[in-house]
Amino acid sequence: MNLNKIKKLILTSLGVFLVVSVQAGELKDGDIAVLDVAGSLLSTEYAKQQDEELQASKEWKEMQEDVQLKVNEFNEIQANLEKEGPTMSEEERMDAQKRLASLNQDLQFLNQKMQGTVQELQRLVQNEQFPKFQKVVTELVRAKGIKMVLRREAVLAVDEGDPLLNLTPEVVELLNQTEE
């Protein structure tokens, strides 16, 4: 059985369980909640501070400057090709197109590098904060008498504004309090 079939089977089973439980009166309002795990961890003041430190770092600023220089050069060459293209020699046009292709590759590489840096930071923040997250969620679930917490990614639809259903804002607030 492939992974997608297993996921569908689990989600279908969970859906059937929820429907049967609600119909049987076993689950009532407030027994089930939804939580965006990554969203909770990455919305904390700690995560925001780490992001600000990354944005202020010398390496990040150098990457941004490099991107801007390459974008400017790309735009200049492209504008020159549009303006002077008909009067350029075939060799000049080919050189300009090669330089555009090279700049495009450089920009893609820099974009991937920057995305990788952000993803690595997010992974580090999540790993570092996860023990606190588990503790906060466990305490919150016990305090509210919640029987089941579902990952937001596993739920097709939910009333995000219902504080009984969506624990994410409360978890973020509690995580921020643990940092103080």
Side-chain angles (χ1 to χ4, degrees), residues 97-108:
Q97 289 172 344
K98 284 180 186 177
R99 182 63 185 147
L100 285 175
S102 175
L103 286 168
N104 188 41
Q105 270 187 321
D106 291 349
L107 286 167
Q108 286 179 6

Side-chain angles (χ1 to χ4, degrees), residues 31-132:
D31 282 353
I32 299 175
V34 175
L35 179 60
D36 180 353
V37 176
S40 295
L41 292 165
L42 297 175
S43 296
T44 63
E45 292 302 318
Y46 176 77
K48 291 175 186 174
Q49 177 187 3
Q50 295 301 308
D51 185 56
E52 288 171 6
E53 287 178 16
L54 171 66
Q55 301 287 328
S57 73
K58 182 181 176 186
E59 180 184 336
W60 187 261
K61 287 182 179 181
E62 286 174 354
M63 283 191 287
Q64 285 181 314
E65 288 172 10
D66 199 14
V67 165
Q68 193 57 55
L69 288 172
K70 290 184 186 310
V71 165
N72 290 344
E73 184 180 352
F74 186 94
N75 290 338
E76 286 175 22
I77 293 171
Q78 197 170 36
N80 191 39
L81 264 175
E82 288 175 12
K83 184 179 176 184
E84 306 288 331
T87 61
M88 289 178 143
S89 71
E90 186 65 31
E91 186 178 328
E92 289 173 324
R93 273 195 304 275
M94 292 295 282
D95 287 344
Q97 289 172 344
K98 284 180 186 177
R99 182 63 185 147
L100 285 175
S102 175
L103 286 168
N104 188 41
Q105 270 187 321
D106 291 349
L107 286 167
Q108 286 179 6
F109 171 76
L110 285 168
N111 184 41
Q112 288 174 348
K113 184 176 178 181
M114 291 173 82
Q115 285 179 347
T117 302
V118 168
Q119 289 170 348
E120 178 65 16
L121 176 68
Q122 290 174 344
R123 187 186 64 73
L124 290 171
V125 166
Q126 288 178 4
N127 288 342
E128 187 174 311
Q129 294 292 298
F130 198 73
K132 292 176 189 174

